[in-house]
Amino acid sequence: MLQDVSANHRQQYARPVTSVITMANRRDHFLARWGVNRGGHRVELGLYALGNPTADSPVLVTANYTLSFDALRSALAGIDSYILVLDTKGVNVWCAAGKGTFGTDELVRRIEATALQDVVSHRVLILPQLGAPGIAAHEIKKRSGFRVEYGPVRAADLPEYLQTRQATPEMRRVRFTLRDRLILIPVELVQGLLPMLAAAVVSYFIGGFLAAMGAITAILAGVVLFPILLPWLPARDFSTKGFILGEVAALPFALAIFLERPEAAWWLKAGQALIYLLALPACTAYLALNFTGSTTFTSRSGVRREIFTYVPIMAGMFGTSLLLIITFALIGLLGGL
Amino acid sequence: MARTPVKNTLQYDPDLCVNCGMCTMVCPHAVFASGSSVVQLARPEACMECGACQLNCPAGAITVESGVGCAAAMIRAAVTGSKEVTCGGESNSSCCSDSSCCSSDE
């Protein structure tokens, strides 16, 4: 009897969905990764039926972001289940939990809106572990009667988790692998493109082709090389890692100054080389510091400490290089060269 | 009150712990470990202040000033004078609104 009621409700309330990722899905994922139409990669809210779920089938909760939803449904291939999609404004689970949109109120609201208590006979919800910063499990129990179970961090571990109902310590840890970092580069690149072009044009008018290349190099080092090299750059702080990477990127430019004009006065060459050695690392380090928000492990306390410690140093280095540029320009104007 | 020697805002009071183990489940950095009568603070230095443990502790044994560890968001908030430091928001910061600040899409 219960089965019949469930089947009835399933048809009424739960949209059918498959675990197949289509070409259209892949195109959408690609665009999302490149930052095209941010916040627009959404799925319809509510309850979905994957396969042929019954009143006993598990209910998994996710965000209305296509990458989150598709990761979940593709991981659940062959597993009859329900997917409950919360309104996170097209933002992934972890970030939405941090903002509170993947939150206690929204979950309770969505349970009620989908009449979930009539669809399933059990009272268990499986949430992604990274939804926990927005959800108070004991509050959900109190307000909806459903018990929240935190599943693994990654959807790929769900098949094993659903069998054992036990997440291994490895499943509970976030990682930040090379692949995780590589996947972030397109968005960083798209966002860095306009500032990079502007900086290159300005630099070109100040110091010519070499200066323009320097600006481009500093920014590419910050948004492309830094995410790749993050774990291998020495030092703990992001800013320090950025300074080191920036100095390495600036060295060829400093050398080029010396090789380009062997006849010029040594102090002139040294001064111009110094401009590169100060300005480029300052830019790269600033971009490196800004990458903290994209990682999976930086704390607010740690980032605040870094901002107070290193932003003045970055500003000082950049300011000094500007003073040098102005000084050399004045010397040039006065015919000192 | 056990004060952690590390430079973050995580504080855990074992006297209040009911050993339900929720914090050991929700923490993405294994800061808490199971103990025989109360949960143990195993890796306080790894805390990223996401706030999951505090929100899911039914006994109120954990406090942490949660927030995003995102320089872009904090600098933007400082520049615009906004009190609310949040990832993404309406503007386009590199963190969040795509999967980046979290890198995991699940």
Side-chain angles (χ1 to χ4, degrees), chain A residues 33 38 65 67-68 90-95 99 128-130 132-138 150 153-155 172-174 176 184 187-188 191 286 289-290 292-301 303-304 307, chain B residues 7-9 22 24-30 43 47-50 52 55-58 65-72 74-75 86-89 92-106:
Chain A
R33 290 299 186 193
R38 308 189 90 200
Y65 179 48
L67 285 175
S68 308
V91 171
N92 71 78
V93 170
W94 206 8
C95 292
K99 292 170 196 278
Q129 184 189 328
L130 295 185
I135 304 277
H138 49 282
Y150 287 111
V153 165
R154 286 163 291 275
R172 293 241 171 266
R173 293 286 289 275
V174 292
F176 203 40
L184 302 177
V187 161
E188 301 278 333
Q191 288 178 354
Y286 184 76
L289 176 59
N290 273 268
T292 48
S294 301
T295 71
T296 58
F297 54 85
T298 53
S299 70
R300 195 175 65 152
S301 298
V303 171
R304 178 181 286 150
I307 289 174
Chain B
K7 286 176 186 151
N8 60 47
T9 57
M22 279 305 269
T24 65
M25 277 186 249
V26 297
C27 179
H29 291 292
R43 299 173 1 108
C47 175
M48 62 176 291
E49 301 175 326
C50 73
L55 194 56
N56 283 280
C57 177
E65 285 173 34
S66 62
V68 290
C70 174
M74 289 166 73
I75 292 169
T86 172
C87 265
N92 278 339
S93 83
S94 65
C95 57
C96 293
S97 64
D98 67 339
S99 65
S100 39
C101 84
C102 317
S103 98
S104 169
D105 308 315
E106 280 87 40

